[in-house]
Amino acid sequence: MTQPGGVPFTERTPRVSAARKLLRRRFADSERRFLAEGPQAVREALTAGVVIELFGTASGLERLEVPRGTRVSVVTDAGLASLTETVQPQGVVAVCSYVDVPLAAALDPAPRLVAVLAEIRDPGNAGTVLRTADAAGAGAVLFTDASVDPYNGKCVRSTAGSLFHLDVVRGCSPLEAVAALRAAGLQVFATTGYGAENLDDLADAGRLAAPTAWLLGSEAHGLPPELLEAADARVRVPVHGRAESLNLAAAAAVCLYASASHQRRKGAAT
């Protein structure tokens, strides 16, 4: 598979150079486009219909079923490497349209489960939480204004394609998000190792079956005081062994899956 003329594009080809600019956030924001790297992310982007152009080596493109009408550009290994941030590129990179939606759109109709990332600046953690939220059946993930950009390359890779599966809100105010979530009928729980409420006790009391948004803070600093105060409950995940605490991704998984499990049980019983 090659372009007309049979010559793959190189890192100096104008189309490749133009796409490479999307690695810079300022340019990506101005174009509302970003790069998704690797077969899994690209497959999900193709399914979502947000791929503008697909770059890949000949061998990398052979691993994909590309819909008819997709603009495909074959590149050399060096050309592909210029579009990636990884040491070992995975053969394909897609130029994608931004997928974030306004907060009001994400809450209409209101989802039953939401993850709110507040001041989470590590892209790997943020992407993993988004992937976990998707697996747990959440309807939306909110990246507040002090959190990492969801289009950060490492964050996109860490989502393993889940970025294209649910509503993503970008750059909202944390306190405004809490107010909007509550107005949409969700209870808002803040995760903290020093919470007055125990996750197991909430489960036993049936409180996890209601529509819920989980506030998740940075692993280093946790949630800011104003968000802890704004939440309906401050919840700790019980630690039964000798570990000092759970990391962010593990705590998020426990909380999101606890809610998902109880919501599904309630749905099956009604």
Side-chain angles (χ1 to χ4, degrees):
M1 183 185 297
T2 56
Q3 282 76 231
V7 180
F9 291 158
T10 73
E11 65 274 24
R12 293 181 294 276
T13 302
R15 287 239 297 274
V16 177
S17 298
R20 186 163 57 246
K21 293 179 182 178
L22 297 174
L23 292 171
R24 301 198 298 270
R25 180 173 176 175
R26 180 177 61 83
F27 190 83
D29 281 348
S30 69
E31 297 292 316
R32 285 196 58 81
R33 297 179 179 183
F34 70 105
L35 299 179
E37 176 185 349
Q40 179 60 27
V42 171
R43 286 189 193 98
E44 301 307 319
L46 287 167
T47 299
V50 297
V51 173
I52 296 167
E53 183 168 7
L54 178 58
F55 293 94
T57 61
S59 59
L61 291 168
E62 288 174 355
R63 300 162 61 185
L64 294 174
E65 292 185 13
V66 181
R68 186 181 299 274
T70 303
R71 187 178 194 180
V72 178
S73 297
V74 183
V75 295
T76 62
D77 288 340
L80 185 77
S82 73
L83 297 174
T84 68
E85 300 173 318
T86 55
V87 176
Q88 295 181 318
Q90 299 180 58
V92 286
V93 173
V95 175
C96 303
S97 300
Y98 272 15
V99 297
D100 58 282
V101 300
L103 178 59
L107 300 182
D108 184 21
R112 293 191 59 83
L113 185 59
V114 174
V116 183
L117 280 61
E119 299 188 9
I120 296 177
R121 297 184 177 90
D122 181 271
N125 272 341
T128 301
V129 170
L130 190 153
R131 181 180 181 181
T132 301
D134 178 26
V141 175
L142 280 51
F143 286 71
T144 61
D145 51 19
S147 290
V148 68
D149 183 38
Y151 301 116
N152 172 283
K154 185 175 181 180
C155 186
V156 173
R157 292 192 298 275
S158 297
T159 72
S162 286
L163 177 65
F164 305 104
H165 294 168
L166 38 64
D167 286 339
V168 174
V169 177
R170 178 180 185 241
C172 55
S173 158
L175 291 176
E176 289 179 5
V178 169
L181 288 161
R182 194 173 285 123
L186 285 82
Q187 59 188 353
V188 180
F189 290 161
T191 57
T192 170
Y194 307 100
E197 305 269 12
N198 183 304
L199 183 67
D200 288 345
D201 292 340
L202 290 179
D204 291 342
R207 294 175 64 187
L208 295 183
T212 302
W214 285 99
L215 297 177
L216 305 162
S218 75
E219 198 160 302
H221 306 293
L223 289 165
E226 63 272 18
L227 275 185
L228 290 171
E229 186 64 29
D232 297 309
R234 290 163 288 285
V235 183
R236 69 183 187 278
V237 176
V239 176
H240 303 297
R242 298 171 61 186
E244 185 271 332
S245 64
L246 292 173
N247 67 21
L248 169 64
V254 170
C255 294
L256 290 165
Y257 268 90
S259 286
S261 176
H262 285 78
Q263 288 176 2
R264 289 179 180 276
R265 289 178 193 172
K266 179 181 180 181
T270 56

